[in-house]
């Protein structure tokens, strides 16, 4: 897919910041797929749906309307602040480990990309491996755990490591580096230099 740049990586690796900046530079759109998993989790917690109940979560995931730009809105409720709360941090990886929830989200993400008139930069955990394996540029972004938790002012190191652990070890679409992805360690690097590396890679391929 020549109009998709796919970025995966663990919590706090800088995916959202870098993806947004690459999209801005190219005049492309940007999709934060983590916000989608967070939005469903927030709605479940609000409406007392058991996040461990796979059938109930699948029904929720396939029935809702989710927007992530300019705010994260689910079924008309703005959850932009709520999705960064501790209860959502604690439950989101459990929700995201459920295959039926993932199938509903992946379908939405692929349909969304098709509707983008120019290109789009999409970031998450399974974007290079499952959602857009044929993206023109695939990136695996990471940084040391110390630096990643320092960047997450709203989340402590235990919570970040716990999410990493669940996201990397789940049977359904675990976080892993795609064989042909560009590996970028952002520890101690300026955002602008990472953005430049990705844009240069795109220019070499198109
Ligand atoms: O911003 P951060 O990297 O901390 O996380 P996020 O991108 O907001 O994603 C929150 C959670 O959603 C992750 O810990 C994963 O459990 C899940 N997720 C996923 O499974 N697949 C994606 N494509 C995106 C997020």
């Amino acid at each position: 897919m020549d109009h998709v740049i796919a970025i995966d990586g663990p919590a706090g690796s800088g995916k959202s910041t870098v993806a947004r900046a690459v999209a801005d530079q190219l005049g492309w759109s940007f999709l934060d797929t983590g916000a989608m998993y967070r939005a469903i989790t927030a709605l479940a917690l609000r409406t007392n749906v058991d996040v461990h109940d796979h059938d109930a979560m699948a029904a929720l995931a396939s029935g809702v309307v989710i927007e992530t730009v300019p705010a994260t809105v689910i079924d008309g409720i703005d959850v932009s602040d709520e999705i960064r709360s501790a209860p959502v941090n604690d439950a989101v990886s459990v929700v995201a480990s459920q295959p039926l929830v993932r199938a509903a989200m992946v379908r939405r993400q692929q349909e969304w990309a098709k509707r983008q008139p120019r290109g789009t930069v999409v970031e998450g955990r399974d974007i290079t491996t499952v959602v857009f394996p044929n993206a023109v540029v695939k990136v695996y972004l990471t940084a040391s755990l110390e630096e990643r938790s320092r960047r997450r002012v709203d989340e402590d190191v235990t919570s970040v490591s716990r999410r990493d652990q669940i996201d990397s070890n789940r049977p359904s679409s675990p976080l892993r580096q795609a064989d042909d992805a560009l590996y970028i360690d952002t520890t101690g690097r300026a955002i602008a230099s990472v953005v430049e590396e990705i844009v240069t890679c795109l220019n070499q391929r198109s």
Side-chain angles (χ1 to χ4, degrees), residues 10-12 15 32-35 37-38 84 92-93 96 102 123-127 152 155 163 167 170:
K15 298 184 301 292
D32 172 358
T33 63
Y37 290 94
R38 287 175 178 273
R84 305 291 158 196
V92 65
S93 289
R102 302 203 68 78
E123 58 99 348
R125 298 289 187 287
D126 59 343
I127 309 305
R152 305 310 309 254
E155 190 176 10
R163 283 201 292 125
D167 295 344
R170 65 188 179 209

Side-chain angles (χ1 to χ4, degrees), residues 119-157:
T120 186
V121 185
V122 185
E123 58 99 348
R125 298 289 187 287
D126 59 343
I127 309 305
T128 59
T129 53
V130 174
V131 189
F132 300 110
N134 299 319
V136 59
V137 175
K138 298 196 255 180
V139 178
Y140 186 86
L141 216 60
T142 190
S144 68
L145 176 61
E146 199 189 15
E147 174 130 353
R148 293 191 290 110
S149 34
R150 204 170 33 236
R151 289 175 186 164
R152 305 310 309 254
V153 284
D154 50 352
E155 190 176 10
D156 65 31
V157 65

Side-chain angles (χ1 to χ4, degrees), residues 5-206:
I5 294 178
I7 304 180
D8 285 326
S13 53
K15 298 184 301 292
S16 295
T17 309
V18 167
R20 221 183 279 269
V22 169
D24 278 354
Q25 189 159 322
L26 297 169
W28 289 14
S29 64
F30 155 70
L31 182 63
D32 172 358
T33 63
M36 298 172 70
Y37 290 94
R38 287 175 178 273
I40 304 172
T41 307
L43 187 63
L45 295 176
R46 249 179 193 257
T47 54
N48 291 322
V49 172
D50 178 1
V51 294
H52 297 94
D53 180 338
H54 287 216
D55 291 338
M57 289 308 299
L60 200 66
S62 49
V64 287
V65 176
I66 309 176
E67 295 152 52
T68 56
V69 177
T72 306
V73 179
I74 184 159
D75 277 354
I77 307 165
D78 188 331
V79 290
S80 306
D81 292 333
E82 216 168 307
I83 60 170
R84 305 291 158 196
S85 68
V88 171
N89 284 336
D90 288 348
V92 65
S93 289
V94 169
V95 171
S97 69
Q98 299 171 19
L100 294 176
V101 168
R102 302 203 68 78
M105 292 300 108
V106 168
R107 197 170 49 242
R108 286 161 190 269
Q109 292 153 13
Q110 291 170 335
E111 283 166 5
W112 185 88
K114 275 192 212 143
R115 292 197 301 272
Q116 301 312 300
R118 301 192 66 188
T120 186
V121 185
V122 185
E123 58 99 348
R125 298 289 187 287
D126 59 343
I127 309 305
T128 59
T129 53
V130 174
V131 189
F132 300 110
N134 299 319
V136 59
V137 175
K138 298 196 255 180
V139 178
Y140 186 86
L141 216 60
T142 190
S144 68
L145 176 61
E146 199 189 15
E147 174 130 353
R148 293 191 290 110
S149 34
R150 204 170 33 236
R151 289 175 186 164
R152 305 310 309 254
V153 284
D154 50 352
E155 190 176 10
D156 65 31
V157 65
T158 317
S159 171
V160 170
S161 319
R162 183 178 160 273
R163 283 201 292 125
D164 284 350
Q165 168 77 10
I166 301 176
D167 295 344
S168 304
N169 293 297
R170 65 188 179 209
S172 182
S173 311
L175 168 66
R176 65 171 182 83
Q177 185 189 345
D179 295 338
D180 51 351
L182 191 64
Y183 177 91
I184 305 181
D185 186 338
T186 66
T187 312
R189 277 187 67 178
I191 296 162
S193 113
V194 176
V195 171
E196 193 187 318
E197 186 174 345
I198 295 171
V199 172
T200 303
C201 182
L202 174 72
N203 290 338
Q204 281 164 353
R205 286 176 193 188
S206 45

